[in-house]
Amino acid sequence: MIRNVLGAVVALVGAAAAVQSPFRRWYDTRLGRDYRIQDLFDGVTGVSSSVMASILLPFLFAALLTLVGVVLRSRTAVALGGLVVLGFTVLWMVRLGQAESGLTLDGDGSGLGWGVAQALAGGLLILLGALLMAGRRRAARSAPEPYPVPPDDRPDTWPPTQEPGPAAYTSQAPEPEADPYTGPGRHRATSGDEDTAEYPVQGEVPPRQGDDRYRPPHP
């Protein structure tokens, strides 16, 4: 959130500087708004231009792109606005250099003016704002919804394949209680077809046939 706010402020400051730059001196005593857009493609001439047909128009478009990118938190739109400002400024410098056989920057104020520097700085600030912005985060994937409860007439149906599976409802019958008897003969084992066989407890003598296991044998 902080990155988006900081990047938006920097980008908007750069867009404002780029829009204001055509109203300042670009070369000698000529303002940036005096250069026609078609001069950037056909060659710079001495013909003056109206404000909306000057180099101000692409800068306004770049500022609009920057504003839309800030609102939508789109780093691509903001960066594109900065590239438009830098691209048209560099294109103007190339065309003017061809017309003037080179660009000069003199200490007496002639040559390149502060308007060009302001336009370049504005484009760089817009790009810096795009880099600072975090952009729009992707929405986290929502957790899958739990399986619905099986219908009452088919409680043993296991979703989502609707194949028979473990019962969905707990049986209401009471659970069987454990046998509390722990005396002799409790441990039994099954072997083959025999029913059950008793394991003698260690130290206990197994009773003989006909003897009562709970009473001593009669004389």
Side-chain angles (χ1 to χ4, degrees):
M1 183 63 181
I2 298 178
R3 290 185 56 187
N4 284 328
V5 174
L6 181 60
V9 172
V10 174
L12 292 178
V13 170
V19 172
Q20 187 186 8
S21 64
F23 296 94
R24 304 191 65 176
R25 187 176 61 85
W26 275 50
Y27 196 77
D28 289 340
T29 59
R30 193 173 183 182
L31 302 180
R33 60 181 178 84
D34 290 337
Y35 294 95
R36 301 180 301 173
I37 296 180
Q38 63 185 26
D39 290 347
L40 302 180
F41 303 96
D42 300 335
V44 177
T45 63
V47 180
S48 298
S49 172
S50 62
V51 176
M52 295 308 299
S54 66
I55 197 175
L56 175 64
L57 185 59
F59 288 177
L60 289 175
F61 176 72
L64 180 60
L65 274 178
T66 304
L67 181 60
V68 172
V70 168
V71 173
L72 300 180
R73 290 184 295 178
S74 174
R75 301 177 62 185
T76 302
V78 175
L80 184 59
L83 292 177
V84 170
V85 174
L86 292 177
F88 276 90
T89 304
V90 172
L91 180 61
W92 173 86
M93 296 176 66
V94 172
R95 290 301 185 185
L96 186 64
Q98 294 175 350
E100 298 290 338
S101 299
L103 300 177
T104 60
L105 181 61
D106 300 330
D108 57 356
S110 62
L112 293 174
W114 286 105
V116 181
Q118 185 174 342
L120 293 174
L124 292 176
L125 284 177
I126 296 176
L127 290 179
L128 179 60
L131 293 176
L132 291 177
M133 292 177 61
R136 179 178 297 180
R137 297 181 179 180
R138 296 182 179 179
R141 296 182 179 180
S142 57
E145 297 182 358
Y147 293 141
V149 179
D152 295 337
D153 56 344
R154 301 182 63 187
D156 290 339
T157 303
W158 187 257
T161 59
Q162 301 299 323
E163 297 179 356
Y169 298 99
T170 306
S171 175
Q172 300 298 329
E175 297 183 358
E177 298 182 357
D179 187 6
Y181 177 74
T182 58
R186 182 172 181 270
H187 304 281
R188 300 175 180 275
T190 304
S191 175
D193 297 335
E194 298 179 358
D195 296 337
T196 58
E198 296 182 358
Y199 285 107
V201 182
Q202 184 177 4
E204 180 185 359
V205 179
R208 293 176 299 176
Q209 186 176 4
D211 293 343
D212 190 349
R213 68 176 63 182
Y214 302 112
R215 295 181 181 179
H218 297 282

